[in-house]
Coordinates of all heavy atoms in Angstrom, one line a residue:
M1 N -55.6 73.7 105.1 CA -55.4 73.2 106.4 C -54.4 72.1 106.4 O -54.5 71.2 105.5 CB -56.8 72.7 106.9 CG -56.7 71.9 108.2 SD -58.3 71.3 108.8 CE -58.6 72.5 110.0
A2 N -53.4 72.1 107.3 CA -52.4 71.1 107.3 C -52.9 69.8 107.8 O -53.8 69.7 108.7 CB -51.2 71.5 108.2
A3 N -52.4 68.7 107.3 CA -52.8 67.3 107.8 C -52.3 67.1 109.2 O -51.3 67.6 109.6 CB -52.2 66.3 106.8
A4 N -53.1 66.4 109.9 CA -52.7 66.1 111.3 C -51.5 65.2 111.3 O -51.3 64.4 110.4 CB -53.9 65.4 112.0
Q5 N -50.6 65.4 112.3 CA -49.4 64.6 112.4 C -49.8 63.2 112.8 O -50.7 63.0 113.6 CB -48.5 65.2 113.5 CG -47.9 66.5 113.2 CD -47.0 67.0 114.4 OE1 -47.5 67.0 115.5 NE2 -45.8 67.3 114.1
P6 N -49.1 62.2 112.3 CA -49.4 60.8 112.7 C -48.9 60.6 114.1 O -48.0 61.2 114.6 CB -48.5 60.0 111.7 CG -47.4 60.9 111.2 CD -48.0 62.3 111.3
R7 N -49.7 59.8 114.8 CA -49.4 59.5 116.2 C -48.6 58.2 116.2 O -49.0 57.2 115.6 CB -50.7 59.3 117.0 CG -50.4 59.0 118.4 CD -51.8 58.9 119.2 NE -51.6 58.2 120.4 CZ -52.5 57.4 120.9 NH1 -53.6 57.1 120.3 NH2 -52.3 56.8 122.0
V8 N -47.4 58.2 116.8 CA -46.5 57.1 116.8 C -46.1 56.8 118.3 O -45.8 57.7 119.0 CB -45.2 57.4 116.0 CG1 -44.2 56.3 116.1 CG2 -45.5 57.7 114.6
R9 N -46.1 55.5 118.6 CA -45.7 55.1 120.0 C -44.3 54.5 120.0 O -44.0 53.6 119.2 CB -46.7 54.1 120.5 CG -46.4 53.5 121.9 CD -46.4 54.6 123.0 NE -47.7 55.2 123.1 CZ -48.7 54.8 124.0 NH1 -48.4 53.8 124.9 NH2 -49.8 55.4 124.0
L10 N -43.4 55.0 120.8 CA -42.1 54.4 121.0 C -42.2 53.6 122.2 O -42.6 54.1 123.3 CB -41.0 55.5 121.2 CG -39.6 55.0 121.4 CD1 -38.6 55.7 120.5 CD2 -39.2 55.1 122.8
I11 N -41.7 52.3 122.1 CA -41.7 51.4 123.3 C -40.2 51.1 123.5 O -39.6 50.4 122.7 CB -42.5 50.2 123.1 CG1 -44.0 50.6 122.8 CG2 -42.4 49.3 124.3 CD1 -44.9 49.4 122.5
A12 N -39.7 51.6 124.6 CA -38.2 51.4 124.9 C -38.1 50.1 125.7 O -38.8 49.8 126.6 CB -37.7 52.6 125.7
T13 N -37.1 49.3 125.2 CA -36.8 48.0 125.9 C -35.4 48.0 126.5 O -34.8 47.0 126.8 CB -36.9 46.8 125.0 OG1 -36.0 46.9 123.9 CG2 -38.3 46.8 124.4
G14 N -34.7 49.2 126.7 CA -33.4 49.2 127.2 C -32.4 49.0 126.0 O -32.6 49.6 124.9
G15 N -31.4 48.2 126.2 CA -30.5 47.8 125.1 C -29.5 48.9 124.9 O -29.4 49.9 125.6
T16 N -28.7 48.7 123.8 CA -27.6 49.6 123.5 C -28.0 51.0 123.3 O -27.3 52.0 123.7 CB -26.9 49.1 122.3 OG1 -26.5 47.7 122.5 CG2 -25.7 49.9 121.9
I17 N -29.1 51.3 122.6 CA -29.6 52.6 122.3 C -29.8 53.5 123.6 O -29.7 54.7 123.6 CB -30.8 52.6 121.4 CG1 -31.0 54.0 120.8 CG2 -32.1 52.2 122.2 CD1 -32.1 54.0 119.7
A18 N -30.1 52.8 124.7 CA -30.5 53.5 125.9 C -29.3 53.6 126.9 O -29.4 54.2 127.9 CB -31.6 52.8 126.6
N19 N -28.1 53.1 126.5 CA -26.9 53.2 127.4 C -26.4 54.6 127.6 O -26.3 55.4 126.6 CB -25.8 52.3 126.8 CG -25.9 50.9 127.1 OD1 -26.7 50.5 128.0 ND2 -25.2 50.1 126.4
Q20 N -26.2 54.9 128.8 CA -25.6 56.2 129.2 C -24.6 55.9 130.4 O -24.8 54.9 131.1 CB -26.6 57.2 129.7 CG -27.6 57.7 128.6 CD -26.9 58.6 127.7 OE1 -26.4 59.6 128.1 NE2 -26.8 58.3 126.4
A21 N -23.7 56.7 130.6 CA -22.7 56.5 131.7 C -23.5 56.4 133.1 O -23.0 55.8 134.0 CB -21.7 57.6 131.7
T22 N -24.6 57.1 133.2 CA -25.3 57.2 134.4 C -26.4 56.2 134.5 O -27.2 56.2 135.5 CB -26.0 58.6 134.6 OG1 -26.8 58.9 133.4 CG2 -24.9 59.7 134.7
G23 N -26.6 55.3 133.5 CA -27.6 54.3 133.5 C -28.3 54.3 132.2 O -27.9 54.9 131.2
R24 N -29.4 53.5 132.1 CA -30.2 53.4 130.8 C -31.3 54.4 130.8 O -32.0 54.7 131.8 CB -30.7 52.0 130.7 CG -29.6 51.0 130.5 CD -30.2 49.6 130.1 NE -29.2 48.6 130.3 CZ -28.3 48.3 129.4 NH1 -28.3 48.9 128.2 NH2 -27.5 47.3 129.6
L25 N -31.5 55.0 129.6 CA -32.5 56.0 129.4 C -33.9 55.3 129.3 O -34.0 54.2 128.9 CB -32.3 56.7 128.1 CG -31.0 57.5 128.0 CD1 -30.8 58.1 126.6 CD2 -30.9 58.6 129.0
T26 N -34.9 56.1 129.7 CA -36.3 55.6 129.6 C -36.8 56.0 128.2 O -36.1 56.8 127.5 CB -37.2 56.3 130.6 OG1 -37.2 57.7 130.4 CG2 -36.7 56.1 132.0
G27 N -38.0 55.6 127.8 CA -38.6 56.0 126.6 C -38.7 57.5 126.4 O -38.3 58.1 125.4
P28 N -39.3 58.2 127.5 CA -39.4 59.6 127.4 C -38.0 60.3 127.3 O -37.9 61.3 126.6 CB -40.1 60.0 128.7 CG -41.0 58.8 129.0 CD -40.1 57.6 128.6
D29 N -37.0 59.7 127.9 CA -35.6 60.3 127.8 C -35.1 60.2 126.4 O -34.5 61.2 125.9 CB -34.6 59.5 128.7 CG -34.9 59.7 130.2 OD1 -35.5 60.7 130.6 OD2 -34.4 58.8 130.9
L30 N -35.4 59.1 125.7 CA -34.9 59.0 124.3 C -35.6 60.0 123.4 O -35.0 60.6 122.6 CB -35.3 57.5 123.8 CG -34.4 56.4 124.4 CD1 -35.0 55.1 124.0 CD2 -33.0 56.5 123.9
I31 N -36.9 60.2 123.6 CA -37.6 61.2 122.8 C -37.0 62.6 123.1 O -36.8 63.4 122.1 CB -39.1 61.2 123.1 CG1 -39.7 59.9 122.7 CG2 -39.9 62.3 122.4 CD1 -39.6 59.5 121.3
A32 N -36.8 62.9 124.3 CA -36.3 64.2 124.7 C -34.9 64.5 124.0 O -34.5 65.6 123.8 CB -36.2 64.4 126.2
Q33 N -34.1 63.4 123.8 CA -32.8 63.6 123.2 C -32.8 63.5 121.7 O -31.7 63.5 121.1 CB -31.8 62.6 123.8 CG -31.6 62.8 125.3 CD -30.4 62.0 125.8 OE1 -29.7 61.3 125.0 NE2 -30.1 62.1 127.1
T34 N -33.9 63.3 121.1 CA -34.0 63.1 119.6 C -34.6 64.4 119.0 O -35.8 64.7 119.1 CB -34.9 61.9 119.3 OG1 -34.4 60.8 120.0 CG2 -34.9 61.7 117.8
A35 N -33.7 65.2 118.4 CA -34.1 66.5 117.8 C -34.8 66.2 116.5 O -34.6 65.3 115.8 CB -32.9 67.3 117.6
G36 N -35.8 67.1 116.2 CA -36.4 67.1 114.9 C -37.6 66.2 114.8 O -38.2 66.1 113.7
L37 N -38.1 65.6 115.9 CA -39.3 64.7 115.7 C -40.6 65.5 115.7 O -41.5 65.1 115.0 CB -39.3 63.7 116.9 CG -38.3 62.6 116.9 CD1 -38.5 61.7 118.2 CD2 -38.4 61.8 115.7
T38 N -40.7 66.6 116.4 CA -41.9 67.3 116.5 C -42.6 67.7 115.2 O -43.8 67.5 115.1 CB -41.7 68.6 117.4 OG1 -41.1 68.2 118.6 CG2 -43.0 69.3 117.7
P39 N -41.9 68.1 114.2 CA -42.5 68.4 113.0 C -43.0 67.2 112.2 O -43.9 67.3 111.3 CB -41.5 69.2 112.1 CG -40.4 69.5 113.0 CD -40.5 68.6 114.2
L40 N -42.5 66.0 112.5 CA -42.7 64.8 111.7 C -43.9 64.0 112.3 O -44.7 63.4 111.5 CB -41.5 64.0 111.7 CG -40.2 64.6 111.1 CD1 -39.1 63.7 111.3 CD2 -40.5 65.0 109.6
A41 N -44.0 63.9 113.6 CA -45.0 63.0 114.2 C -45.2 63.4 115.6 O -44.4 64.1 116.2 CB -44.6 61.6 114.1
R42 N -46.4 63.0 116.1 CA -46.7 63.1 117.5 C -46.2 61.8 118.2 O -46.9 60.8 118.1 CB -48.2 63.4 117.7 CG -48.6 63.7 119.2 CD -50.0 64.1 119.2 NE -50.9 63.4 118.4 CZ -52.0 62.7 118.9 NH1 -52.3 62.8 120.2 NH2 -52.7 62.0 118.1
V43 N -45.0 61.9 118.8 CA -44.4 60.7 119.3 C -44.7 60.6 120.8 O -44.4 61.5 121.6 CB -42.9 60.6 119.1 CG1 -42.3 59.3 119.6 CG2 -42.6 60.7 117.6
E44 N -45.2 59.5 121.2 CA -45.5 59.2 122.6 C -44.5 58.1 123.0 O -44.3 57.2 122.2 CB -46.9 58.8 122.9 CG -47.9 59.8 122.4 CD -49.3 59.3 122.3 OE1 -49.5 58.1 122.4 OE2 -50.2 60.2 122.1
A45 N -44.0 58.1 124.2 CA -43.0 57.1 124.6 C -43.5 56.4 125.9 O -44.1 56.9 126.7 CB -41.7 57.7 124.8
E46 N -43.1 55.1 126.0 CA -43.2 54.4 127.2 C -42.0 53.5 127.4 O -41.3 53.2 126.4 CB -44.5 53.5 127.2 CG -44.5 52.4 126.2 CD -45.8 51.7 126.1 OE1 -46.8 52.2 125.5 OE2 -45.9 50.6 126.7
T47 N -41.8 53.1 128.6 CA -40.6 52.3 129.0 C -41.1 50.9 129.3 O -41.8 50.7 130.3 CB -39.8 52.9 130.1 OG1 -39.5 54.2 129.8 CG2 -38.6 52.0 130.5
F48 N -40.8 49.9 128.5 CA -41.2 48.5 128.7 C -40.1 47.8 129.6 O -40.5 47.1 130.5 CB -41.3 47.8 127.3 CG -41.7 46.4 127.4 CD1 -43.0 46.0 127.6 CD2 -40.7 45.4 127.4 CE1 -43.3 44.7 127.7 CE2 -41.0 44.0 127.5 CZ -42.4 43.7 127.7
A49 N -38.9 48.1 129.3 CA -37.8 47.5 130.1 C -36.6 48.4 130.0 O -36.5 49.3 129.2 CB -37.4 46.1 129.5
R50 N -35.6 48.2 130.9 CA -34.4 49.1 130.9 C -33.1 48.3 131.1 O -32.1 48.9 131.3 CB -34.5 50.1 132.1 CG -35.6 51.1 131.9 CD -35.7 52.1 133.0 NE -34.5 53.0 132.9 CZ -34.3 53.9 133.8 NH1 -35.0 54.0 134.9 NH2 -33.2 54.7 133.7
G51 N -33.2 47.1 130.8 CA -32.0 46.3 131.0 C -31.3 46.0 129.6 O -31.7 46.5 128.6
P52 N -30.3 45.1 129.6 CA -29.7 44.8 128.4 C -30.6 43.9 127.5 O -31.5 43.2 128.1 CB -28.5 43.9 128.8 CG -28.5 43.9 130.3 CD -29.7 44.6 130.8
S53 N -30.5 44.1 126.2 CA -31.4 43.3 125.3 C -31.4 41.8 125.6 O -32.4 41.2 125.5 CB -31.1 43.6 123.9 OG -31.2 45.0 123.6
L54 N -30.2 41.3 125.8 CA -30.1 39.9 126.0 C -30.8 39.4 127.3 O -31.0 38.2 127.5 CB -28.6 39.5 126.1 CG -27.9 39.6 124.7 CD1 -26.4 39.3 124.9 CD2 -28.5 38.7 123.6
A55 N -31.1 40.3 128.2 CA -31.8 39.9 129.4 C -33.3 39.7 129.3 O -33.9 39.1 130.1 CB -31.6 41.0 130.5
L56 N -33.9 40.1 128.1 CA -35.3 39.8 127.9 C -35.5 38.4 127.7 O -34.8 37.7 127.0 CB -35.8 40.6 126.6 CG -35.8 42.1 126.7 CD1 -36.2 42.7 125.4 CD2 -36.7 42.6 127.8
T57 N -36.5 37.9 128.4 CA -36.9 36.5 128.4 C -38.0 36.2 127.3 O -38.5 37.2 126.8 CB -37.4 36.0 129.8 OG1 -38.6 36.7 130.0 CG2 -36.4 36.3 130.9
L58 N -38.2 35.0 127.1 CA -39.3 34.6 126.2 C -40.6 35.2 126.7 O -41.4 35.8 125.9 CB -39.5 33.1 126.0 CG -40.6 32.6 125.1 CD1 -40.5 33.2 123.7 CD2 -40.6 31.1 125.1
A59 N -40.9 35.2 128.0 CA -42.1 35.8 128.6 C -42.1 37.3 128.3 O -43.2 37.9 128.0 CB -42.2 35.5 130.1
D60 N -41.0 38.0 128.4 CA -40.9 39.4 128.1 C -41.3 39.7 126.6 O -42.0 40.6 126.3 CB -39.5 40.0 128.4 CG -39.1 40.0 129.8 OD1 -40.0 40.1 130.7 OD2 -37.9 39.8 130.1
W61 N -40.7 38.9 125.7 CA -41.0 39.0 124.3 C -42.5 38.8 124.0 O -43.1 39.6 123.2 CB -40.2 38.1 123.4 CG -38.7 38.5 123.3 CD1 -37.7 37.9 123.9 CD2 -38.2 39.7 122.7 NE1 -36.5 38.6 123.6 CE2 -36.8 39.7 122.9 CE3 -38.8 40.7 121.9 CZ2 -36.0 40.7 122.4 CZ3 -38.0 41.7 121.4 CH2 -36.6 41.7 121.6
I62 N -43.1 37.9 124.7 CA -44.6 37.7 124.5 C -45.3 38.9 125.0 O -46.3 39.4 124.4 CB -45.0 36.4 125.2 CG1 -44.4 35.2 124.4 CG2 -46.5 36.2 125.3 CD1 -44.5 33.8 125.1
R63 N -44.9 39.4 126.2 CA -45.6 40.6 126.8 C -45.4 41.8 125.9 O -46.3 42.5 125.6 CB -45.0 40.9 128.1 CG -45.7 40.3 129.3 CD -45.2 40.8 130.7 NE -43.8 41.2 130.8 CZ -43.4 42.5 131.0 NH1 -44.2 43.5 131.0 NH2 -42.1 42.7 131.1
L64 N -44.2 41.9 125.3 CA -44.0 43.0 124.4 C -44.8 42.9 123.1 O -45.4 43.9 122.7 CB -42.5 43.0 124.0 CG -42.1 44.1 123.0 CD1 -42.4 45.5 123.5 CD2 -40.6 44.0 122.7
A65 N -44.9 41.7 122.5 CA -45.8 41.5 121.4 C -47.2 41.8 121.7 O -47.9 42.5 120.9 CB -45.7 40.0 120.9
R66 N -47.7 41.4 122.8 CA -49.1 41.8 123.2 C -49.2 43.3 123.4 O -50.3 43.9 123.0 CB -49.4 41.1 124.5 CG -49.6 39.6 124.3 CD -50.0 38.9 125.5 NE -50.3 37.5 125.3 CZ -50.0 36.5 126.1 NH1 -49.5 36.7 127.3 NH2 -50.2 35.2 125.7
R67 N -48.2 43.9 124.0 CA -48.3 45.4 124.1 C -48.3 46.1 122.8 O -49.1 47.0 122.6 CB -47.1 45.9 125.0 CG -47.1 47.4 125.2 CD -48.3 47.8 126.0 NE -48.4 49.3 126.1 CZ -49.5 50.0 125.9 NH1 -50.6 49.4 125.7 NH2 -49.4 51.3 126.0
V68 N -47.5 45.7 121.9 CA -47.5 46.3 120.5 C -48.8 46.1 119.9 O -49.4 47.0 119.3 CB -46.3 45.7 119.7 CG1 -46.5 46.1 118.2 CG2 -45.0 46.1 120.2
A69 N -49.4 44.9 119.9 CA -50.7 44.6 119.3 C -51.8 45.5 120.0 O -52.7 46.1 119.3 CB -51.1 43.2 119.5
E70 N -51.7 45.7 121.3 CA -52.6 46.6 122.0 C -52.6 48.0 121.5 O -53.6 48.7 121.3 CB -52.3 46.5 123.5 CG -53.2 47.3 124.4 CD -52.8 47.2 125.9 OE1 -52.7 46.0 126.3 OE2 -52.6 48.2 126.5
V71 N -51.3 48.5 121.4 CA -51.2 49.9 120.9 C -51.7 50.0 119.5 O -52.4 51.0 119.2 CB -49.7 50.3 121.0 CG1 -49.4 51.6 120.4 CG2 -49.2 50.4 122.5
L72 N -51.3 49.1 118.6 CA -51.8 49.2 117.2 C -53.3 49.0 117.1 O -53.8 49.4 116.0 CB -51.0 48.1 116.4 CG -49.5 48.4 116.2 CD1 -48.9 47.3 115.5 CD2 -49.3 49.7 115.4
A73 N -53.9 48.5 118.1 CA -55.4 48.3 118.0 C -56.1 49.7 118.1 O -57.3 49.8 117.7 CB -55.9 47.4 119.1
S74 N -55.4 50.7 118.5 CA -56.0 52.0 118.6 C -56.0 52.6 117.2 O -55.0 52.7 116.5 CB -55.1 52.9 119.5 OG -55.6 54.2 119.6
A75 N -57.2 53.0 116.8 CA -57.3 53.5 115.4 C -56.5 54.7 115.1 O -56.2 55.0 113.9 CB -58.8 53.8 115.1
D76 N -56.1 55.5 116.0 CA -55.4 56.7 115.8 C -53.9 56.6 115.9 O -53.1 57.6 115.7 CB -55.9 57.9 116.7 CG -55.6 57.7 118.1 OD1 -55.4 56.5 118.5 OD2 -55.5 58.6 118.9
V77 N -53.4 55.4 116.0 CA -51.9 55.2 116.1 C -51.5 54.7 114.7 O -51.9 53.8 114.1 CB -51.6 54.1 117.1 CG1 -50.1 53.7 117.0 CG2 -51.9 54.6 118.5
A78 N -50.5 55.5 114.1 CA -50.0 55.2 112.8 C -48.9 54.1 112.8 O -48.7 53.4 111.8 CB -49.4 56.4 112.2
G79 N -48.2 54.0 113.9 CA -47.1 53.0 114.0 C -46.5 52.9 115.4 O -46.8 53.7 116.2
V80 N -45.7 51.9 115.5 CA -45.0 51.6 116.8 C -43.5 51.4 116.4 O -43.1 50.8 115.4 CB -45.5 50.3 117.5 CG1 -44.6 50.0 118.7 CG2 -46.9 50.5 117.9
V81 N -42.6 52.0 117.2 CA -41.2 51.8 117.1 C -40.7 51.2 118.4 O -41.0 51.7 119.5 CB -40.4 53.2 117.0 CG1 -38.9 53.0 117.0 CG2 -40.9 53.8 115.7
V82 N -40.0 50.0 118.3 CA -39.5 49.4 119.5 C -38.0 49.5 119.5 O -37.4 49.2 118.5 CB -39.9 47.9 119.5 CG1 -39.3 47.2 120.7 CG2 -41.4 47.7 119.5
T83 N -37.5 50.1 120.6 CA -36.0 50.3 120.6 C -35.4 49.2 121.5 O -36.1 48.6 122.4 CB -35.6 51.6 121.2 OG1 -36.0 51.7 122.6 CG2 -36.2 52.8 120.4
G84 N -34.2 48.8 121.2 CA -33.5 47.8 122.0 C -32.0 47.9 121.9 O -31.4 48.6 121.1

């Protein structure tokens, strides 16, 4: 029996990685454009922010830290990736 895939959460914060001519990609958009993830992990995505990285305030960083801690508190989550 094959081992279960690890569950990983992607939290998108906008930034350079999300830039497109038509606007910034969301977390689910980033996953959809990343080939080869399915055999490696069960990746779930959410969009925390969609602006430039430099636009994040101290309050945003605190909210992001709390969100990451909340996600990692789930026993079945193997890790978190934050894009920016």
